[in-house]
């Protein structure tokens, strides 16, 4: 609906004729949701992997007209879901022009608007507010005050207008009243001081707010939504029980359940289509898979947001782009080696436990990549016989391969390794792969063998035969490939 009414009189006619809906925010959101559900529309475009878990629960909360909270670890699209709620609001609503709390012209709350209506009557001009302006978001921090959230008196306003301090016109509205007739979102709710949470509880309980020092109560119309990270509960704060009790639905978010979902999210969010003009960037599937697998591996240690694989893929593409710029190649195909070169996008995005602190973030990151490569490699080469390649190294062959090598140079250095090029070819997307694509596939085979400990490699990219164990561990056959790389080099073999 495009807004039409320009005066209070016109608005009244439109409302009476049913052309403009008047209802609470929760009813409005519910009605529009029902319309979308009937039409079979995608409710939250761009939210991937929640169709059978989070989305149905959010729908139920809205149908129930609940205030709700999303509980989940970092980077689980909590804020994105909350922001997407604006798509369930009417596109435009009528407001009194200039009102800080977006008063309904047909029943204004604030003294200023009531005064205007008295003065202008049915000729009062109407303004229309777009739904994008009806969402207020606040990141909770311990220093947020009642004045920020609810409001207080504004002595300057009072002095300018030479009003009594208790006059309503001297009120300074906080974020909650300013979100009136819209959605108010608080992120990281446990970080909010207990007494502010009590203030919120009162709003949810009473359905109105009272600003300290004023006799009036404002019956606000709001949908209140929250997010919290359960990891922070004990570390930094908590949600007070009465407030929890007033939040209708508590919905748990989660990390992508499958590598496919995760890759879809990263594909959507990462900046991989570069504008370097002359360089064509082609990211192989196995590179995307390893990038995702690094995040999955890291999550076995701590909460790691989807921002890790997103930043990682961006840095991987950049490293390939940088190589192409240096070597003058027109196609950049990222390699596994580029993932190792992109460690700055990994460290800092996970918490190091004590053991990790001792190893150092870089080494932990290298282990994560290696473990990721091992898993992905296993998927691409489940039964491949790469003995020819490992034998070449066992017979004393060595290779120096690093991320700066041009594709032709990489191909020529590896040309003599029996079986290597043949093993790499089938994983290239094209039958007759370009040099950069084949170079990347060869790099994948070498890194895969290294990840599986069939050959060894130094940090500088010197490949040689695998280390011969000083004495054969007795039950090494019981160790899965998944165990091997995860635990790193210092794994003790227990009987
Ligand atoms: Zn007003």
């Amino acid at each position: 609906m495009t807004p039409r009414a320009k005066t209070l009189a016109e608005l009244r006619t439109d409302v009476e004729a049913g052309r403009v809906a008047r209802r609470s925010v929760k009813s409005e959101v519910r009605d529009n949701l029902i319309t979308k559900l009937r039409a079979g529309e995608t409710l939250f475009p761009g939210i991937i992997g929640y169709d059978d878990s989070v989305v149905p629960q959010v729908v139920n909360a809205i149908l129930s007209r609940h205030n709700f909270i999303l509980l989940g670890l970092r980077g689980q699209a909590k804020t994105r879901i909350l922001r997407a709620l604006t798509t369930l609001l009417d596109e435009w609503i009528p407001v009194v022009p200039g009102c800080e709390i977006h008063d309904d012209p047909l029943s204004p709350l604030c003294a200023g608007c009531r005064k205007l209506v008295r003065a202008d009557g049915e000729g009062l001009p109407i303004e229309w507010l777009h739904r994008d302006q009806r969402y207020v978001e606040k990141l909770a921090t311990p220093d947020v005050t009642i004045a920020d959230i609810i409001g207080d008196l504004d002595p300057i306003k009072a002095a300018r207008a030479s009003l009594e301090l208790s006059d309503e016109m001297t009120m300074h509205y906080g974020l909650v009243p300013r979100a009136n007739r819209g959605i108010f979102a608080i992120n990281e709710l446990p970080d909010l001081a207990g007494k502010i949470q009590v203030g919120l509880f009162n709003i949810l309980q009473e359905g109105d707010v009272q600003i300290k020092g004023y006799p009036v109560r404002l019956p606000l119309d709001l949908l209140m939504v929250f997010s919290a990270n359960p990891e922070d509960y004990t570390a930094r704060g908590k949600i007070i029980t009465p407030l929890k009790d007033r939040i209708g639905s508590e919905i748990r978010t989660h990390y992508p359940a499958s590598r496919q979902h995760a890759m879809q999210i990263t594909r959507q969010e990462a900046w991989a289509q570069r504008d370097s003009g002359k360089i064509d960037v082609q990211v192989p599937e196995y590179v995307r898979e390893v990038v995702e697998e690094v995040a999955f591996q890291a999550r076995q240690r701590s909460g790691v947001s989807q921002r890790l694989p997103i930043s990682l893929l961006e840095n991987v593409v950049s490293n390939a782009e940088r190589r192409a710029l240096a070597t003058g190649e027109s196609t950049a195909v990222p390699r596994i080696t580029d993932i190792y070169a992109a460690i700055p996008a990994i460290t800092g995005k996970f918490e190091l436990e004590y053991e990790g602190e001792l190893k150092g973030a870089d080494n932990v990151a290298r282990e994560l990549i290696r473990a990721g490569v091992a898993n992905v490699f296993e998927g691409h080469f489940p039964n491949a016989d790469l003995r020819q390649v490992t034998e070449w190294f066992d017979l004393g062959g060595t290779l120096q391969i690093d991320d700066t090598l041009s594709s032709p140079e990489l191909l020529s250095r590896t040309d003599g390794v029996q079986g290597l090029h043949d093993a790499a070819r089938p994983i290239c997307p094209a039958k007759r792969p370009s040099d950069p694509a084949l170079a990347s596939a060869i790099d994948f085979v070498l890194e895969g063998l290294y990840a599986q400990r069939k050959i060894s490699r130094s940090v500088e990219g010197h490949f040689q035969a695998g280390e011969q164990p000083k004495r054969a561990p007795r039950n090494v056959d019981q160790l899965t490939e998944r165990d091997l790389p995860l635990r790193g080099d210092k794994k003790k073999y227990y009987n």
Side-chain angles (χ1 to χ4, degrees), residues 99 103 110 113:
C99 175
D103 261 324
C110 81
C113 288

Side-chain angles (χ1 to χ4, degrees), residues 81-95:
I81 293 171
L82 297 184
R83 287 181 186 163
L85 293 173
T86 55
T87 60
L88 297 173
L89 293 168
D90 289 344
E91 191 173 4
W92 301 95
I93 56 162
V95 294

